[in-house]
Amino acid sequence: MTDSSAPTTAGTPAAATTAPAAANPLLSTAPLPDFAAIDPSHIQPAITALLADAQRALDQVTAPDSPADYDQLSRTLNVATERLGAAWGAVGHLNAVANTPALREAYNAMLPAVTEFHTALGANEALYAKYKAIAAQPGLTPERTQLLKHAIRDFVLSGAELEGEAKVRFAKIQERAAELGQAFSEHVMDATDGWSCIVTAAELRGVPADVVANARAAAEKDGTTDPDAHKLTLHFPVYMPVMQYAEDRALRERLYRAYVTRASELGDKPDWDNGPLMQELLMLRQEEAKLLGFANFAEASLVPKMASSPAQVMAFLRDLAGRARPYALRDLDELRDFAKAALRMDELQAWDLPYASEKLKEARYAFSDQEVRQYLTLPRVLDGLFRIVDRLFGVQFVPAQASVWHESVQFCELRRDGQLIGQVYLDLYARNGKRPGAWMDEVRSRWARPDLANTGAEQIPVAHLVCNFPQGADGKPALLTHDDVTTLFHECGHGLHHLLTRVAELGVSGISGVEWDAVELPSQFMENFCWEWEVIQQLSSHVDTGEPLPRALFDKMLAARNFQAGLQTLRQIEFALFDMRVHAEPGSETRVQDLLDEVRREVSVLPPPAFNRFQHSFSHIFAGGYAAGYYSYKWAEVLSADCWSAFEEEGVFNPATGRRYLDEILSMGSVRDAMDNFKAFRGREPTIDALLRHQGMA
């Protein structure tokens, strides 16, 4: 796919206007949202109306004379709540990728009402009783049996068995926690968007030319008349190249301090300090867990996951840390020796690590990330990715038209044998008003909708695939690092898990209901293709000459694949162990920084400076779904590495292996438990051997 295939129906949310309900795009029953037409003024009337519809549906199915019949319940309640979810999901998506003050205000105004409804829905005693009665009926399909099992478990975790004041308090906790999570995310976005500095070309010595060109263009866009002015921001496509390549040590320190103190008491704006939000959120989570009968929030969080207890998770993390520590110490010694001898740095500081590491890699392996970037243009990488998916799973990404929120967004259909099976939005570039990071999100799930039963039609899955890559410069396409490419493949893996499901029962279709510590398996699995020569040939094309990446350069990349793997492993374990401890230990809300420091003393071989406030922008656990679940990245890595070892044994593009992986893992949704899916594919329990071998720590 090339940039020219982006849809022509594009735009950003318009200025607020009053629109009649009949013209409200959020009330449309069309299969896809009309993103270009959604306006902040649409949100309150549409969501209010859809909440009312959903409440009427809930009242109807929980009436005393309503039968315990799942088909009838689904036709009434699930259709109404799914329509509400689709509209609110569109609003939430725009709030994450096209944020404006008016949109944020409208979103936050309705967040309490939406949270209140879903909290009441999950704790509704009459609906809980209906589900239990349905689950006791004979002749249920495996899909329905599993979704009812999940639903009954989730009713308990949502407070359905609480009574009186406990139930009221539980609901208030949910509403306040939702507000805090949203505020945390906003503070990180505002702190990232709100910081910039002007530097000269001399200060950017060593930085890649396209990054410098974009910095110059950003300064010009701000109206500067200084021909030597370059604007730097904290957006990752700017921040990371400066940290890796800028020879100016003072500039690297300046950016590092700004980046690691974002949204903290040490940042520019006190109003964006996430410290009080973290404290309150942790207190509320522990109170919620106690109401449900758990000792701590971590225990409650693990109920729907593969891991059985916080102790098991921490033992897993500490075992992996022990295995990685000797390699991390070796990595650090080598880096210090190199920095002292080659860079004349007697003492490595935190802002030196990316720079010194890149220089060491260049010296040891005779190549740089910047050299590799010249061969990895975004259009070519996308085209290669799509061809790989076609070869593996027999599905094609076909450019198509849809209403989008920004002119750079691309829209594709997924087709198998000419038949439409899914759709995906690709929003790949960084910009102001867009949440940092990369993610996949659902627009709709595959579902044999009961309201369409007489038509033979079926709702197809639709996904968002979001990254924050740099824009192209000087009329050339965007250049990606190899890490950027693995990020794209990672998110595509999540998307395939959602889009290639063959399950049509809402709640167990696609990624719905998949254990959180297994949901990263398909995404991490896809990363492995980025290290195959046959694949790299399809992904690469030099930005100027069109030549594919040379084999000699690829061999150097392979040799450097596990460069500093020990340090990188300990870094992830540090985050995961902090997450588990802060959600498992009583009183953690009063000692967040102290607890993180303890984890760093236990795990890290090079703790960051005292002013580092990483936790203040740790959105995964304070504004996302990873609370007491960040360990899942390493947990699922064991599963994904073991799955990949089957492809190594049987052939990377072996059609039988690809078909078995599709049939037993990607297409199964959560009809079976994740461990059963793994064993059906691999024929045995997982082992850690493949992960250690892949990371050079066998």
Side-chain angles (χ1 to χ4, degrees), residues 70-71 134-149 503-506 508 670-672:
Y70 187 79
D71 288 323
I134 294 168
Q137 296 170 357
L140 297 171
T141 65
E143 291 84 356
R144 195 155 289 181
T145 298
Q146 185 81 324
L147 80 85
L148 290 167
K149 183 179 80 169
V503 179
E505 191 79 74
L506 200 64
V508 289
S670 59
V671 172
R672 293 186 304 216

Side-chain angles (χ1 to χ4, degrees), residues 382-428:
L382 266 182
D383 182 67
L385 169 60
F386 294 164
R387 281 187 280 153
I388 289 162
V389 171
D390 187 6
R391 185 174 176 185
L392 274 173
F393 307 123
V395 295
Q396 299 80 46
F397 285 81
V398 181
Q401 298 293 315
S403 171
V404 296
W405 52 93
H406 191 270
E407 63 270 9
S408 65
V409 176
Q410 301 178 35
F411 179 76
C412 293
E413 296 178 344
L414 266 70
R415 294 186 173 272
R416 177 185 283 123
D417 299 326
Q419 181 180 358
L420 180 66
I421 62 169
Q423 296 167 314
V424 61
Y425 297 87
L426 303 168
D427 184 355
L428 303 180

Side-chain angles (χ1 to χ4, degrees), residues 324-589:
R325 189 174 186 83
Y327 297 93
L329 287 169
R330 182 195 65 188
D331 293 340
L332 182 57
D333 287 343
E334 291 173 346
L335 187 60
R336 280 175 169 158
D337 291 345
F338 173 82
K340 187 173 184 178
L343 304 177
R344 298 181 181 178
M345 292 181 182
D346 289 333
E347 185 176 358
L348 275 177
Q349 301 293 343
W351 47 90
D352 299 323
L353 296 180
Y355 178 78
S357 296
E358 182 63 23
K359 292 297 183 184
L360 173 58
K361 187 168 71 173
E362 291 177 18
R364 176 175 296 172
Y365 302 105
F367 82 98
S368 69
D369 285 348
Q370 172 62 11
E371 182 182 0
V372 175
R373 286 180 74 228
Q374 306 307 306
Y375 292 92
L376 298 174
T377 64
L378 181 53
R380 176 70 174 185
V381 169
L382 266 182
D383 182 67
L385 169 60
F386 294 164
R387 281 187 280 153
I388 289 162
V389 171
D390 187 6
R391 185 174 176 185
L392 274 173
F393 307 123
V395 295
Q396 299 80 46
F397 285 81
V398 181
Q401 298 293 315
S403 171
V404 296
W405 52 93
H406 191 270
E407 63 270 9
S408 65
V409 176
Q410 301 178 35
F411 179 76
C412 293
E413 296 178 344
L414 266 70
R415 294 186 173 272
R416 177 185 283 123
D417 299 326
Q419 181 180 358
L420 180 66
I421 62 169
Q423 296 167 314
V424 61
Y425 297 87
L426 303 168
D427 184 355
L428 303 180
Y429 297 104
R431 57 181 178 270
N432 279 350
K434 184 178 178 183
R435 198 178 85 201
W439 66 92
M440 189 284 296
D441 205 357
E442 304 170 46
V443 182
R444 298 212 184 238
S445 296
R446 186 177 181 195
W447 187 22
R449 295 179 65 103
D451 55 336
L452 299 178
N454 295 330
T455 69
E458 186 176 278
Q459 178 171 287
I460 62 169
V462 186
H464 293 301
L465 200 160
V466 184
C467 296
N468 271 280
F469 297 144
Q471 294 278 355
D474 297 329
K476 295 180 179 180
L479 303 178
L480 305 184
T481 65
H482 191 258
D483 283 346
D484 290 335
V485 175
T486 58
T487 296
L488 179 62
F489 272 64
H490 179 104
E491 300 308 333
C492 183
H494 281 310
L496 294 173
H497 198 187
H498 175 63
L499 296 165
L500 298 186
T501 185
R502 294 195 177 103
V503 179
E505 191 79 74
L506 200 64
V508 289
S509 168
I511 63 172
S512 298
V514 175
E515 295 98 314
W516 198 267
D517 38 11
V519 80
E520 297 293 335
L521 188 168
S523 54
Q524 293 170 342
F525 169 85
M526 284 297 294
E527 294 181 24
N528 291 287
F529 286 99
C530 302
W531 292 101
E532 293 295 320
W533 171 239
E534 186 177 355
V535 172
I536 285 292
Q537 288 176 293
Q538 297 181 48
L539 302 182
S540 62
S541 174
H542 194 280
V543 64
D544 294 323
T545 68
E547 293 295 317
L549 188 139
R551 178 64 199 238
L553 179 54
F554 177 70
D555 288 341
K556 294 174 184 177
M557 293 167 59
L558 275 181
R561 179 177 183 178
N562 293 318
F563 178 65
Q564 297 185 342
L567 287 172
Q568 292 168 13
T569 298
L570 288 191
R571 182 172 179 267
Q572 287 298 305
I573 292 172
E574 175 188 316
F575 299 163
L577 192 56
F578 164 70
D579 167 45
M580 189 54 62
R581 286 190 58 186
V582 84
H583 286 106
E585 297 182 11
S588 65
E589 71 278 357

Side-chain angles (χ1 to χ4, degrees), residues 45-326:
I47 300 303
T48 300
L50 293 170
L51 282 168
D53 289 345
Q55 184 61 53
R56 281 191 291 271
L58 176 60
D59 294 341
Q60 183 176 336
V61 302
T62 55
D65 59 347
S66 177
D69 179 276
Y70 187 79
D71 288 323
Q72 183 170 321
L73 183 152
S74 181
R75 189 178 303 109
T76 303
L77 181 60
N78 289 355
V79 168
T81 55
E82 200 268 350
R83 189 177 174 206
L84 167 65
W88 185 243
V91 174
H93 177 72
L94 289 176
N95 198 47
V97 299
N99 192 274
T100 65
L103 180 63
R104 179 182 293 187
E105 181 181 1
Y107 177 86
N108 286 333
M110 291 308 300
L111 180 61
V114 174
T115 305
E116 180 182 7
F117 172 79
H118 284 291
T119 300
L121 179 71
N124 189 287
E125 296 173 26
L127 187 61
Y128 179 35
K130 283 284 193 300
Y131 268 84
K132 288 192 288 186
I134 294 168
Q137 296 170 357
L140 297 171
T141 65
E143 291 84 356
R144 195 155 289 181
T145 298
Q146 185 81 324
L147 80 85
L148 290 167
K149 183 179 80 169
H150 288 174
I152 290 169
R153 174 201 67 200
D154 293 343
F155 272 113
V156 175
L157 293 175
S158 298
E161 295 184 345
L162 298 178
E163 298 178 349
E165 285 300 315
K167 194 159 199 161
V168 173
R169 178 58 186 159
F170 187 90
K172 289 188 178 298
I173 289 172
Q174 304 311 302
E175 181 176 334
R176 180 59 180 157
E179 293 173 351
L180 290 169
Q182 174 61 16
F184 188 101
S185 180
E186 289 175 359
H187 289 175
V188 175
M189 180 187 291
D190 290 344
T192 304
D193 287 350
W195 188 94
S196 64
C197 69
I198 299 297
V199 299
T200 65
E203 291 175 284
L204 293 176
R205 186 180 298 111
V207 176
D210 62 317
V211 178
V212 175
N214 281 334
R216 176 68 193 125
E220 289 179 347
K221 188 175 180 180
D222 282 355
T224 181
T225 58
D226 182 353
D228 195 28
H230 295 72
K231 180 181 178 181
L232 300 182
T233 70
L234 297 181
H235 291 290
F236 207 71
V238 177
Y239 172 77
M240 198 60 213
V242 173
M243 297 305 296
Q244 278 185 298
Y245 296 105
E247 298 173 10
D248 190 324
R249 196 180 192 189
L251 177 61
R252 298 200 307 269
E253 180 181 359
R254 184 179 181 185
L255 261 69
Y256 176 84
R257 285 180 177 271
Y259 192 81
V260 302
T261 58
R262 286 177 302 160
S264 79
E265 77 281 9
L266 302 179
D268 291 343
K269 300 285 182 65
D271 290 347
W272 295 340
D273 179 13
N274 274 335
L277 276 63
M278 286 188 289
Q279 183 173 353
E280 185 179 356
L281 195 52
L282 289 169
M283 290 175 62
L284 291 176
R285 287 173 177 173
Q286 298 293 42
E287 185 182 356
E288 172 191 327
K290 293 291 179 61
L291 287 172
L292 293 174
F294 295 98
N296 52 63
F297 181 82
E299 284 189 3
S301 172
L302 291 178
V303 171
K305 297 181 172 73
M306 294 178 73
S308 60
S309 68
Q312 183 192 16
V313 171
M314 288 190 278
F316 163 74
L317 292 171
R318 286 173 168 137
D319 174 63
L320 190 54
R323 295 171 186 263
R325 189 174 186 83

